[in-house]
Amino acid sequence: MTEKRNVVIVGSGPAGLTAAVYTARANLEPVILEGEPSSTSDQPGGQLMLTTEVENFPGFPEGVMGPDLMTRMRSQAERFGADIRTQKASRVNLQVHPFEIWVGDPNATEPTLRADSVIVATGAQSLMLGLPNESRLLGFGVSTCATCDGFFFRDRDIAVVGGGDSAMEEAMFLTKFARTVTIIHRRDTLRASHIMAERAQANEKIRFIWNSTVTDVIGTNTVERLELQNLQTGATSTLEVTGLFVAIGHRPNTDLFKGQLDLGDDAYLLTQPGSSRTNIEGVFACGDVQDSTYRQAITAAGSGCMAAIDAERWLEAFHHSNAAHH
C-alpha cells in the first residue's frame, strides 16, 4: 500500500534533521528516509557520524562528538512527531504530482510513498584516497575538513593531499595552527588558480612534495607518518606527520535525481538564489547536496530550516488553491 504524506525528507544529516524539526513542529508529519548504515553515500546522520569532536557548532562550548550531535538532533525531530525510517530511497519520480518515492525494489509497480512536497538533503561525500588505514584513522589524524579540525593540530607537522583551489585554501588555513604544512601532489604543477597557487607557494610554512602519492597512512591509534611514492622514479619514502588532510574534492549525492532536478557542472543541485527551491515546484534542496562552498554542519542546518519554511509556505498555498479549485 502506498502511503500519502505532506512532506518526505530524503537524507538525515544536519540539513535533513533540521528540516524535520521545523516541518514536524508545523504539524506536517514528515517522513524522513535517513538512509542505511551499510551505505557510505546514505549514512544515517550524514558525514558527522564519521567525525569525532565538533568544536565549532554553536551551543556546545566544550565541544560535542559528531555522532552525539546527530543523535540529539534526531531525538529532537522525533519529539515533535517526525517519522524517521532507517531506509534508503531507491527511486523517485518527480514528473508527477503527488511525487512518487520508492524504498527497496526500484522496479516495484507501486511507489512506497506519495508526497505533496519533497525536501532533498542527501548531502555530499568527501572523495578519499582509498588507502588501507585511511578510514580506520578518519577522525584520528585523517580529516577532510580543515575548518572543522585544524584547531587540533596546533604546532604540529601535517600534510595536505591535493593540487586544486580547495587544497590550497585548506593548506593556508592550516598554517594558522600547524608548524609546517606539506602539500603532496601527483603532478609537478598545481591545478589551483594562479593566485591561489602563488599565495600557497609564498607561505613560509608550506612545503611541496611533487609527482608523488600517499600509498599508506601509518599509525596505531593516530596518524604517525605517511608512506609516499614518487610517480616518476618509483622511489618510496616516509613523511613524519601527525595529520593528513585529504582535499581532492567532494561528490554530492545527486544520482537519485539526475535527469529530473537541475544540476550544476559540478553535479550539485541548483536552487534558486536566496531560497531552497529547485526547478520543480514543491521540491526543495538543502545542505551539502546544494552547497559546494561552505560545507559546514551549521550552514547545512540553517539551509534545512530554510527548506522547511519554504516547503511549509508552498504547501499552504498549494492546499489553499486546491480547496478554492474544488
Side-chain angles (χ1 to χ4, degrees):
M1 272 291 287
T2 302
E3 283 180 72
K4 171 74 164 48
R5 303 301 283 247
N6 279 312
V7 57
V8 170
I9 299 167
V10 187
S12 64
L17 289 176
T18 303
V21 167
Y22 273 76
T23 50
R25 284 187 80 242
N27 292 325
L28 293 173
E29 301 176 326
V31 165
I32 298 93
L33 300 175
E34 70 169 352
E36 292 168 351
S38 58
S39 167
T40 50
S41 64
D42 290 279
Q43 167 82 29
Q47 293 184 88
L48 279 186
M49 296 301 285
L50 308 172
T51 308
T52 48
E53 196 161 6
V54 179
E55 287 201 324
N56 53 7
F57 199 91
F60 294 92
E62 309 303 321
V64 59
M65 299 301 276
D68 291 347
L69 180 59
M70 297 323 299
T71 303
R72 288 182 184 209
M73 283 193 187
R74 197 178 188 278
S75 304
Q76 192 172 2
E78 285 181 318
R79 180 188 152 207
F80 294 117
D83 179 355
I84 302 178
R85 303 180 186 181
T86 310
Q87 295 175 324
K88 182 179 168 181
S90 54
R91 178 182 153 206
V92 295
N93 180 7
L94 305 176
Q95 311 302 321
V96 296
H97 196 271
F99 305 116
E100 298 178 330
I101 298 146
W102 280 258
V103 166
D105 181 7
N107 302 313
T109 7
E110 284 295 302
T112 316
L113 293 156
R114 284 194 174 88
D116 282 335
S117 67
V118 169
I119 295 175
V120 179
T122 46
Q125 47 192 339
S126 303
L127 298 177
M128 302 300 283
L129 300 168
L131 301 173
N133 292 312
E134 185 182 34
S135 55
R136 180 176 67 81
L137 292 170
L138 191 63
F140 298 93
V142 175
S143 173
T144 58
C145 177
T147 45
C148 314
D149 298 331
F151 181 81
F152 300 117
F153 293 90
R154 199 172 283 284
D155 300 323
R156 304 284 186 85
D157 297 313
I158 56 180
V160 173
V161 177
D165 277 353
S166 60
M168 298 310 108
E169 272 176 35
E170 300 262 288
M172 286 188 289
F173 179 83
L174 290 166
T175 60
K176 295 177 183 180
F177 308 101
R179 185 166 52 199
T180 64
V181 178
T182 302
I183 294 174
I184 302 160
H185 187 42
R186 55 187 306 120
R187 299 184 183 86
D188 58 2
T189 52
L190 296 168
R191 284 183 294 108
S193 59
H194 183 66
I195 189 162
M196 291 297 286
E198 259 188 353
R199 280 183 195 160
Q201 286 167 325
N203 191 308
E204 56 187 24
K205 282 191 174 183
I206 295 178
R207 304 184 301 194
F208 291 85
I209 295 179
W210 304 103
N211 300 308
S212 298
T213 57
V214 180
T215 52
D216 204 359
V217 187
I218 308 300
T220 312
N221 300 315
T222 58
V223 173
E224 293 164 17
R225 64 185 183 279
L226 307 178
E227 286 188 355
L228 309 179
Q229 181 171 33
N230 186 296
L231 294 172
Q232 290 185 328
T233 64
T236 57
S237 60
T238 59
L239 179 67
E240 304 282 327
V241 290
T242 55
L244 171 65
F245 287 79
V246 182
I248 56 174
H250 289 79
R251 193 176 83 80
N253 299 319
T254 49
D255 291 354
L256 196 61
F257 309 99
K258 278 180 182 163
Q260 299 188 68
L261 294 179
D262 289 349
L263 306 179
D265 294 337
D266 52 6
Y268 282 82
L269 282 183
L270 295 177
T271 48
Q272 292 169 23
S275 101
S276 63
R277 292 169 179 265
T278 66
N279 57 300
I280 294 179
E281 280 282 310
V283 180
F284 307 89
C286 55
D288 287 12
V289 74
Q290 53 83 55
D291 170 22
S292 60
T293 308
Y294 301 104
R295 294 195 298 261
Q296 298 297 302
I298 191 69
T299 49
S303 74
C305 163
M306 289 166 60
I309 291 171
D310 286 346
E312 185 188 345
R313 288 174 181 166
W314 185 86
L315 283 165
E316 200 173 314
F318 170 75
H319 290 317
H320 184 73
S321 69
N322 263 16
H325 183 69
H326 290 309

